[in-house]
Amino acid sequence: MKIFAQRLRELRQQHGFSQQRMAEMLHIKQQSYCRYELATGEPSLVTLREIALLFNVTTDYLVGLSDI
C-alpha cells in the first residue's frame, strides 16, 4: 500500500498540515498517523473515509485505484 502512503503525504504537505495536526483531526495518535505515511500501518475504513472527506478525494484515489 505504498501508493497510499505517498498520496497521503503529498496531500498533507499540499494543505500545509503537520503529522501531529493530521492525527488530531483524525482523532488518532500521531504515531499511528506516522505509520500510515511510512507504509508500515493502514488506517481503518472509518479513518480512510475521514481522510478522503478531509481532502475531498475518493478512497479509490487514496489507495491507487484511480488517478483522479
Side-chain angles (χ1 to χ4, degrees), residues 3-58:
I3 189 81
F4 170 72
Q6 178 184 359
R7 289 185 173 177
L8 182 60
R9 175 175 282 151
E10 289 170 358
L11 287 166
R12 176 182 62 78
Q13 291 174 338
Q14 287 170 5
H15 286 80
F17 297 136
S18 67
Q19 287 186 351
Q20 181 61 43
R21 181 66 182 129
M22 285 294 298
E24 290 168 1
M25 290 187 290
L26 297 171
H27 307 287
I28 60 174
K29 294 181 179 181
Q30 191 271 336
Q31 296 89 337
S32 297
Y33 181 83
C34 184
R35 285 194 291 270
Y36 302 162
E37 286 195 9
L38 293 173
T40 59
E42 297 178 0
S44 69
L45 290 176
V46 172
T47 302
L48 182 65
R49 178 181 176 273
E50 290 300 315
I51 293 167
L53 290 171
L54 178 67
F55 292 123
N56 197 31
V57 298
T58 65

